[in-house]
Amino acid sequence: SITGETVELLEPYLHMEDYNLETAKKVCGNVAGLCSWTQAMAYFYSINKEVLPLKANLALQEGRLAAAQMELNSAQIQLDEKQMELDEVQAMYDAAMKEKQALLDDAEACRRKMNNATALIEGLGGEKLRWTASSKNFQNQIIDLVGNVLLATGFLSYSGPFNQEYRNLLLQLWKKEMDNKIPYSNNLNLTDMLVDNATMGEWNLQGLPNDDLSIQNGIIVTKASRYPLLIDPQGQGKIWIKNKERNNGLQVNS
């Protein structure tokens, strides 16, 4: 019920220096309460004057919102119905596409099998000669296996103390003794027979030189049943053995 006129009449009092709660308390507690209330009511009026249009606008907008919400709910119902229809059609489409893809996959699998079978049939004709040659080569390897093993064991057992030249000489003498008695491979490579490339590469990383004599020495050290005597003026063999056996509890006495 406060009007603008009332607040306007009250303004001169509100701006007086002694019109405040602290001064009024000194006079009378009831007066202090009345003073504080009049100030609060004037402040409320100034705020409420701005709030009332906002409240009216809020009510208007809430009415519009309610109408819009009703339209939205109606549209949402229609959308849900159409979505259900769309989901049904989408499910039918997905099932049809899945069946189509399965048929395409089966056709592609059949095509691959047919191509592989054709290639296999065509390749078998060309592989016949190679298989025949390989079979003959395997038979020769089986026949020569006894002599090759004999040469390899002789190399491990007796060639350790000698240099490369004398080792080759020993090998030639052994082959001469075996001629027409024990079959062996004429192109026998003892290094390839007794060690693989991966092992040789590991030895090289551990410090063993990659020349033929050093590789043969490595084979004798690792394959022979007796302890090897290493004549090693350059210390390369010593370095290699230390690196090779570092993780195996090697004990060095010098």
Side-chain angles (χ1 to χ4, degrees), residues 165-199:
E165 181 180 357
Y166 197 76
R167 289 178 183 178
N168 293 335
L169 178 60
L170 280 176
L171 189 61
Q172 295 302 322
L173 292 174
W174 292 337
K175 288 182 178 180
K176 186 176 181 180
E177 290 293 328
M178 293 166 58
D179 281 342
N180 301 322
K181 299 176 183 177
I182 302 176
Y184 62 89
S185 299
N186 291 324
N187 58 347
L188 175 65
N189 187 320
L190 291 176
T191 300
D192 293 340
M193 181 179 178
L194 294 173
V195 69
D196 55 67
N197 291 330
T199 302

Side-chain angles (χ1 to χ4, degrees), residues 9-34:
L9 292 173
L10 188 61
E11 281 292 331
Y13 298 98
L14 296 176
H15 289 90
M16 291 181 180
E17 294 182 358
D18 58 351
Y19 195 83
N20 54 68
L21 180 65
E22 288 75 13
T23 304
K25 282 182 178 179
K26 297 177 181 179
V27 178
C28 178
N30 295 334
V31 173
L34 182 62

Side-chain angles (χ1 to χ4, degrees), residues 133-185:
S134 297
S135 177
K136 184 177 180 181
N137 185 39
F138 291 149
Q139 291 296 329
N140 292 334
Q141 289 182 10
I142 293 173
I143 295 173
D144 296 338
L145 184 60
V146 175
N148 293 343
V149 172
L150 181 59
L151 291 173
T153 54
F155 167 79
L156 290 175
S157 299
Y158 300 108
S159 63
F162 306 116
N163 58 21
Q164 185 72 58
E165 181 180 357
Y166 197 76
R167 289 178 183 178
N168 293 335
L169 178 60
L170 280 176
L171 189 61
Q172 295 302 322
L173 292 174
W174 292 337
K175 288 182 178 180
K176 186 176 181 180
E177 290 293 328
M178 293 166 58
D179 281 342
N180 301 322
K181 299 176 183 177
I182 302 176
Y184 62 89
S185 299

Side-chain angles (χ1 to χ4, degrees), residues 186-246:
N186 291 324
N187 58 347
L188 175 65
N189 187 320
L190 291 176
T191 300
D192 293 340
M193 181 179 178
L194 294 173
V195 69
D196 55 67
N197 291 330
T199 302
M200 286 190 290
E202 185 178 358
W203 289 350
N204 296 151
L205 293 176
Q206 292 167 348
L208 184 69
N210 59 357
D211 59 276
D212 292 340
L213 180 62
S214 297
I215 295 299
Q216 289 181 0
N217 290 339
I219 293 172
I220 294 171
V221 168
T222 56
K223 301 292 185 181
S225 59
R226 294 179 293 181
Y227 289 104
L229 173 63
L230 301 183
I231 301 174
D232 186 31
Q234 297 180 355
Q236 294 173 323
K238 183 177 180 180
I239 294 173
W240 169 60
I241 290 179
K242 284 184 177 180
N243 292 333
K244 183 177 183 301
E245 302 298 332
R246 178 179 301 161

Side-chain angles (χ1 to χ4, degrees), residues 31-210:
V31 173
L34 182 62
C35 174
S36 176
W37 179 79
T38 55
Q39 289 177 330
M41 289 300 99
Y43 179 71
F44 169 78
Y45 175 80
S46 64
I47 298 300
N48 195 46
K49 183 171 63 175
E50 299 177 1
V51 171
L52 285 177
L54 296 178
K55 286 183 177 180
N57 185 51
L58 175 62
L60 177 62
Q61 299 302 327
E62 286 178 344
R64 293 179 178 177
L65 175 62
Q69 188 65 44
M70 291 179 62
E71 294 180 3
L72 176 61
N73 293 337
S74 177
Q76 186 65 45
I77 293 173
Q78 295 181 14
L79 176 62
D80 292 341
E81 294 175 353
K82 298 301 180 183
Q83 186 64 45
M84 291 179 61
E85 295 177 3
L86 177 61
D87 291 342
E88 293 177 358
V89 175
Q90 185 66 41
M92 295 173 61
Y93 172 78
D94 292 341
M97 292 301 297
K98 185 177 181 181
E99 183 178 0
K100 175 185 175 183
Q101 188 61 44
L103 294 174
L104 290 175
D105 292 342
D106 290 342
E108 182 62 25
C110 291
R111 189 178 296 108
R112 286 198 303 268
K113 291 178 181 179
M114 184 177 66
N115 292 336
N116 293 337
T118 302
L120 180 60
I121 292 173
E122 293 175 352
L124 289 177
E127 289 293 316
K128 181 178 180 181
L129 296 176
R130 187 178 68 84
W131 288 346
T132 303
S134 297
S135 177
K136 184 177 180 181
N137 185 39
F138 291 149
Q139 291 296 329
N140 292 334
Q141 289 182 10
I142 293 173
I143 295 173
D144 296 338
L145 184 60
V146 175
N148 293 343
V149 172
L150 181 59
L151 291 173
T153 54
F155 167 79
L156 290 175
S157 299
Y158 300 108
S159 63
F162 306 116
N163 58 21
Q164 185 72 58
E165 181 180 357
Y166 197 76
R167 289 178 183 178
N168 293 335
L169 178 60
L170 280 176
L171 189 61
Q172 295 302 322
L173 292 174
W174 292 337
K175 288 182 178 180
K176 186 176 181 180
E177 290 293 328
M178 293 166 58
D179 281 342
N180 301 322
K181 299 176 183 177
I182 302 176
Y184 62 89
S185 299
N186 291 324
N187 58 347
L188 175 65
N189 187 320
L190 291 176
T191 300
D192 293 340
M193 181 179 178
L194 294 173
V195 69
D196 55 67
N197 291 330
T199 302
M200 286 190 290
E202 185 178 358
W203 289 350
N204 296 151
L205 293 176
Q206 292 167 348
L208 184 69
N210 59 357

